[in-house]
Amino acid sequence: MIQKIKGLVAAPFTPMLADGEIYYDLIPNYYKLLRRNRIVGVFINGSSGEGASLTFKEKAKITRRWVEQKGKGDDMKIINLVGGTSYGETIESAIMSSEAGVDAIALVSPYYFVPDDPGQLAEFCAKVAASVPDMPVYFYHIPVLTGCNIPMLSFLERASDMIPNLVGIKYTHEDFMDFLSCLSFNSNKYDMLWGRDENILPALSLGARGAVGSTYNYAAPLYQDLIRAFDSGDLNKAIELQQLSVNMIMLLGKYGGISTGKAFMRFIGLDCGAFRSPVKNEWINRYPEFVKDVKSLKMDKLFSKP
């Protein structure tokens, strides 16, 4: 039986030192930060975690370090992204994840030889999922990075019979028609985790109850207040908070893109360094200006508490 996730799942950044090596020893404090801010899970080695820029050995060590943080009775969910361009290497990563003790794995579409039909995509995922038959498997739909624009409803129609351990999709796209259809598919069977922080509110209105995002690392209270406002029927308050989220996220683009998330982490007091090449880190040379812009948002109480 699929156990659906309710709440915010953070997509952690991979802590880096000045020389670009991974700062594994920061992970325990990172884990404590997320627990303090009522995050219910982590999606590691994903886009924010620079998984595509890491070696297999690095990702394996990161995976083990996150799993090691869980104490007895700890219900934090750890989902590891194992997808890539080779199903052979992805299978190795899936098996490693299972041996490390993660709660679930996630697969992403191959992004070099890109599948162009749902059966082709489902076949790739099925090869990997079969290597860990007892492990819950999510598909990570992020066409802006993979170039795979197959509707997820079409994928589910093929994958539901091919992948017994498929439990859901991390849906990072703006196609609300497709998302709703996936939510409703097979009597609401699958766990549909919303992946666009800047429009979580419309996703909630369609029935989403779980979400994965990078801004939950440093602004979890904002989204928790937004969800509470929505659940209580205070739509005006929910809209106000969603607009504040949008204003905050616009700073990512202003200061260079995805790596600016690490500027926010420095701002709240957990310095994760910079992104690896070829991702630009424009925010580093403009950090004082960035801080001024963040403070102008007047949302101090809505940032995660270190």
Side-chain angles (χ1 to χ4, degrees), residues 197-209:
D197 311 5
E198 62 270 30
N199 46 29
I200 188 176
L201 180 55
L204 290 171
S205 73
L206 295 179
R209 300 310 298 162

Side-chain angles (χ1 to χ4, degrees), residues 282-299:
E282 181 181 334
W283 64 269
I284 292 178
N285 293 328
R286 301 173 62 194
Y287 187 69
E289 180 187 352
F290 166 81
V291 169
K292 183 177 179 181
D293 276 348
V294 173
K295 289 183 176 180
S296 73
L297 296 173
K298 301 185 184 303
M299 53 173 283

Side-chain angles (χ1 to χ4, degrees), residues 81-109:
L81 178 64
V82 302
T85 56
S86 161
Y87 68 75
E89 187 174 281
T90 303
I91 286 171
E92 292 177 9
S93 188
I95 293 172
M96 174 278 294
S97 300
S98 178
E99 292 173 346
V102 304
D103 297 288
I105 60 169
L107 307 175
V108 69
S109 168

Side-chain angles (χ1 to χ4, degrees), residues 155-168:
F155 169 74
L156 286 179
E157 288 171 344
R158 298 299 296 273
S160 58
D161 291 330
M162 297 173 64
I163 310 175
N165 49 335
L166 180 68
V167 297

